[in-house]
Amino acid sequence: QAQLVESGGGSVQAGGSLRLSCAAYGYTGSSFWMGWFRQSPGKEREGVATIWNDGSSTDYADSVKGRFTISRDNYKNTVHLQMNSLKPEDTAMYFCAFRYGTFRYGMSRLQPRDYNIWGQGTQVTVSS
């Protein structure tokens, strides 16, 4: 069973940047998606950005397009989320997630229900 270890996060003022990292251990094969999701108090968990194992395909939530970039370091089995131009509404607990296999054509890759392995989460707080 894959395990995920997150790092990064913290507090920053609006307009600032943060970088999250997620190292994956114990997985097998090369057919999987990883991604970042977030959840604020009282809100449902939502997809932020996801990436195919070799980095050749990515998906972003509309709210973060142009500001966040997801990338993968295959040598270190790590996925990064570079977050720029942060806004107070980006404040949330951010979770790394993993799922084996592909998605059918046309399916969203940002649905939390489609990922079955989760990290512990790391807090991101953006002050105005």
Side-chain angles (χ1 to χ4, degrees), residues 51-104:
I51 188 167
W52 178 239
N53 72 297
D54 66 0
S56 61
S57 185
T58 58
D59 262 349
Y60 292 92
D62 289 342
S63 59
V64 306
K65 284 180 181 176
R67 300 188 297 123
F68 291 11
T69 303
I70 191 168
S71 62
R72 176 160 173 77
D73 182 341
N74 286 330
Y75 291 104
K76 296 182 180 180
N77 299 326
T78 300
V79 170
H80 304 289
L81 183 68
Q82 178 65 42
M83 305 185 292
N84 298 328
S85 303
L86 282 161
K87 304 175 181 180
E89 50 263 44
D90 294 319
T91 295
M93 183 71 77
Y94 282 70
F95 297 90
C96 181
F98 179 105
R99 62 156 280 160
Y100 284 107
T102 59
F103 288 91
R104 288 197 304 274

Side-chain angles (χ1 to χ4, degrees), residues 23-49:
Y25 302 94
Y27 63 89
T28 58
S30 59
S31 176
F32 58 85
W33 281 82
M34 290 182 67
W36 287 96
F37 296 76
R38 66 187 182 188
Q39 188 167 19
S40 303
K43 293 187 178 181
E44 292 187 354
R45 191 170 297 188
E46 63 175 357
V48 175

Side-chain angles (χ1 to χ4, degrees), residues 5-21:
V5 178
E6 298 139 332
S7 59
S11 297
V12 67
Q13 289 191 327
S17 298
L18 285 173
R19 189 191 197 210
L20 306 182
S21 296

